[in-house]
Amino acid sequence: MASDRLYLFYFGFGLVYFTLYRILFLITYQYRMETWDLFVLLKIFLLGIRFDTSTVAILLVSFVLLSKINFLSKIKLFRSIWIFGPIIILPIVSLHLFADLIYFENANKHIGYEAIVFLGDLPILTKSILTENPLAVSALVLFFAFYIWIVFKISRRKKLSSLEDQKSTIRSQILRAFVWILFCFIAFRGGIQESPLRASEAIISEDPFVNQLALNGVYTTINDLKSQSIPKHLKLSREEALAIVKEEIAYPSAEFLESTEFPILRRTIPNPKSKIKNIVLVIQESWTGKYVWPVGTGIWEGKEITPNYNKLAKRGHSFTKFYANGGRTSNALLSILTSIPDRPGLTAIRTPQVLSQFSALGNLFTKLGYRTSFLTGDDLKFDSLQTILPHFGFKHLTGKQEIFKDGRFLLGAWGFDDEVLFTLAEEEMDLAFQNQEPFFMTILTMTTHYPYKVPDPKFNLYDNQVQDFDYLNTYHYSDWALGEFIKKMEKKDYFDSTVFLFVGDHTHHRYLSYFEDRMVPFLIYSPKNVTPKKDERIASQLDVLPTILGFLNTPVEFSGFGKNLRDPSVRSGTTYFAYGSACGWISESKILYQSVDGNTQFIFEMNPPYGVDRLCNEDRKNCNLETNKAKAIFNLSLDLMNQNSIFPKDNTKD
């Protein structure tokens, strides 16, 4: 019982301590507040308590568990560890927060993995801090000297045996241990919601400083330790990585701007011939490339799975070698909407990296005066889309909850089916047209998401004797819904001035070879504006954003890793991907898988018989080109997000 009271005090003290730090943080950087909204500040402080609770739980959980091993607590040394351990951690946390307060001034973000990196330069940093802030450092030293003296006095006078639960029964000990474990688990997750708390949930305002206010430097560092480190075998200097990347992504219809802080900032050259006014981007859930024309023949087991898409592909600009830069929807959203590749392992969307400023499509088109909308049949709370999409500039969001409240549609197996989304998208576009607003509409389809159930048996093209029949049937339904959508669009007054882009977010990952699992469809469709073309060049989701910007007759500044595929001078390229614990590179002849966890490589041929590349596997030096390009994009993309050096904030204001 005494240990329970002690740890309730520690948890309470921790929350108060981090809240006081947040107040100090606000006072220090109040000049960065664009507007003072008391309601938003209250909301951000309440949200901050959730992040602080998670942080405190992470710091204390091991000591809590030790305190519940009652028979070992009879040993004074063991008992001292869980009693005084949190007290010893406090100065370390305080130093960390002090460093965070200073670091934010120059980095415009909370300290992260840099806190660990900086340990190597501790003497230099200490000297610098002493020079710049001697009074603050002196006060901190005096505080910790006093603190250590107090702890020493308490440890000498306090009878540690008084905190041992000597008289409690084994049953009560087990019960209390269970309650504490449950409490720590919930606190660790930041609440009892479906998904654990993520840094992206701090995005509740268009003011970047307000979004940073909910976080604390300890939380962001813990996140970074599991999401932002680059292993030594993949490390390149920023200068070397930048040189490789700039050569790889350059194309004539966009020019690099000379910016040290934002090194991949570019400006497009206007397209005076374009008559495009509206853009519709359809991100197709789990659309695997091999089942559609022209990636494959379009015929599978004697039947055409996607007759509508194949017809459109033959009338539009379609690609035979188009690759997903990741393996999940979150990876695809980052690549497609921002032209910034995600990292291996934990997606940036679930880390503080997502708080960086992006030249996302929503940001760019909102600034250009477009009505920007995002529609999906999934719950917008998943992957924190309800906060990330506004951060990416989308002003009108529709997800599962909004569609459910509408009351007109039935819920599908995973979310609302594609036909529902296309119906709502049509209504949204009609509204924009009536209001004489150009529109940028993004639709993320849903029916082809697992568990692969069609809304009506009439769409069952295959029976259960065919491998993957359940997925293929949903693919067939999704194609039907797409066909019905385009039929309606062709009758609209705005059809001739609208370009439609269809891109798979990732494959469905079943029964696929190493290169099939990377390939997704990509089609640019606008009969009045786009000449039919079967494009054999290698391209990827990173190219979607600059390709869309290529339709505009106005210069646009953006930062991205892609190229405008409508630019005829862009030659067949190569591309990067990050999936699972590997990053890699795809060229005409090779596909490289480079492990991040260890210095392991797998290099395969991209031509029949698709075996292991003999020359590369005999000597890695034969594939240095592919390896260095993969390293360069991995290093630079991560570095730009870590340093918030992707895109200048002022350029994305409405």
Side-chain angles (χ1 to χ4, degrees), residues 178-208:
F178 173 80
V179 170
W180 272 104
I181 291 171
L182 180 62
F183 172 79
C184 288
F185 175 76
I186 294 172
F188 191 93
R189 300 179 80 255
I192 58 174
Q193 70 284 344
E194 183 177 352
S195 300
L197 183 67
R198 296 165 185 151
S200 58
E201 293 186 45
I203 304 171
I204 69 166
S205 169
E206 293 186 3
D207 185 344

Side-chain angles (χ1 to χ4, degrees), residues 100-289:
D100 181 46
L101 200 64
I102 296 173
Y103 181 76
F104 191 90
E105 178 64 54
N106 298 312
N108 200 32
K109 74 179 190 73
H110 286 287
I111 198 167
Y113 77 106
E114 303 93 342
I116 306 302
V117 174
F118 287 165
L119 289 176
D121 298 322
L122 194 57
I124 299 172
L125 291 171
T126 302
K127 182 179 179 180
S128 176
I129 294 170
L130 279 169
T131 303
E132 296 178 11
N133 300 280
L135 292 177
V137 173
S138 300
L140 198 63
V141 170
L142 288 174
F143 169 79
F144 285 124
F146 178 72
Y147 179 86
I148 293 170
W149 179 76
I150 290 293
V151 171
F152 177 78
K153 286 290 185 182
I154 292 174
S155 63
R156 290 289 299 270
R157 294 183 179 182
K158 184 72 176 176
K159 291 184 177 180
L160 300 184
S161 59
S162 65
L163 289 173
E164 180 188 347
D165 297 327
Q166 296 175 338
K167 297 181 180 180
S168 59
T169 64
I170 294 178
R171 181 178 179 182
S172 66
Q173 292 173 23
I174 294 173
L175 179 61
R176 292 204 307 277
F178 173 80
V179 170
W180 272 104
I181 291 171
L182 180 62
F183 172 79
C184 288
F185 175 76
I186 294 172
F188 191 93
R189 300 179 80 255
I192 58 174
Q193 70 284 344
E194 183 177 352
S195 300
L197 183 67
R198 296 165 185 151
S200 58
E201 293 186 45
I203 304 171
I204 69 166
S205 169
E206 293 186 3
D207 185 344
F209 173 74
V210 170
N211 297 334
Q212 295 280 357
L213 192 57
L215 303 174
N216 67 70
V218 177
Y219 179 87
T220 52
T221 298
I222 292 170
N223 263 271
D224 280 12
L225 287 176
K226 60 182 181 181
S227 67
Q228 293 187 3
S229 58
I230 298 177
K232 289 182 179 179
H233 66 278
L234 294 181
K235 190 71 176 174
L236 290 180
S237 69
R238 183 169 186 168
E239 292 74 21
E240 185 179 2
L242 182 59
I244 293 172
V245 169
K246 289 184 76 170
E247 182 180 2
E248 182 67 27
I249 67 176
Y251 64 94
S253 54
E255 56 184 358
F256 284 101
L257 303 181
E258 294 301 322
S259 173
T260 304
E261 186 176 0
F262 306 102
I264 61 168
L265 182 64
R266 290 185 271 181
R267 182 187 293 116
T268 64
I269 297 172
N271 181 358
K273 297 180 180 179
S274 178
K275 297 180 180 179
I276 295 297
K277 294 182 180 178
N278 311 299
I279 296 97
V280 178
L281 173 62
V282 183
I283 302 174
Q284 297 163 301
E285 170 65 41
S286 299
W287 270 48
T288 301

